[in-house]
Amino acid sequence: MQTLIAIAAGLKTSTLRQALQRFDGAIAALGTVGIAQLATEIFTSIAAATSNPRVVDDIRLMNERLHYARIAETTNVPAALKELRTLVKSDVADLHKNMRRRLESYHLRRIRRLAAEDESQSQS
């Protein structure tokens, strides 16, 4: 989360908007694997906008590590698609501020979900 927030904050607004616009309208009815792949593509696109191969490699490695977790955690496909559509929406007044909030929301939801699952398993 923090890495993506820092990357997005360092980009020009026009560059960040361009990285997100390629997904405008591209988020359609996907299965759990497609949703995980799309999240990977979105985050990789943000990293690629830096033109820094090291940043792209770091995000690629994180995406590879999280791929199966993203698949497993997707229990509501329509909600996941809505979340990804919101994540890439670029026609807002303050894109950087909105992007930070969206990235935080996206990741904090996952962290809370994992914490709730851990608590549920420990009570069993």
Side-chain angles (χ1 to χ4, degrees):
M1 174 177 71
Q2 294 298 328
T3 302
L4 282 166
I5 289 170
I7 291 168
L11 294 172
K12 288 185 195 176
T13 301
S14 60
T15 303
L16 179 56
R17 185 168 279 120
Q18 186 176 9
L20 298 174
Q21 282 178 334
R22 71 176 266 227
F23 299 100
D24 188 29
I27 299 174
L30 303 167
T32 56
V33 174
I35 289 169
Q37 289 172 333
L38 188 55
T40 292
E41 290 175 27
I42 292 167
F43 297 143
T44 301
S45 180
I46 294 168
T50 66
S51 299
N52 182 331
R54 174 64 188 232
V55 170
V56 175
D57 285 345
D58 289 347
I59 294 299
R60 182 185 53 78
L61 291 171
M62 284 185 230
N63 280 323
E64 286 175 5
R65 194 170 58 246
L66 294 169
H67 181 71
Y68 291 106
R70 287 181 183 142
I71 293 169
E73 76 179 4
T74 303
T75 57
N76 184 334
V77 171
L81 291 171
K82 182 179 178 185
E83 182 175 47
L84 291 177
R85 280 188 206 103
T86 300
L87 188 63
V88 300
K89 187 175 177 166
S90 63
D91 60 345
V92 294
D94 187 343
L95 182 57
H96 282 97
K97 184 177 182 179
N98 277 283
M99 195 66 199
R100 177 185 178 89
R101 288 179 181 164
R102 292 179 204 156
L103 288 167
E104 286 174 345
S105 293
Y106 175 89
H107 288 92
L108 290 176
R109 261 192 293 284
R110 277 145 188 78
I111 292 166
R112 278 189 232 112
R113 192 175 302 131
L114 287 173
E117 287 176 14
D118 286 347
E119 185 176 319
S120 172
Q121 289 176 357
S122 68
Q123 291 176 357
S124 298

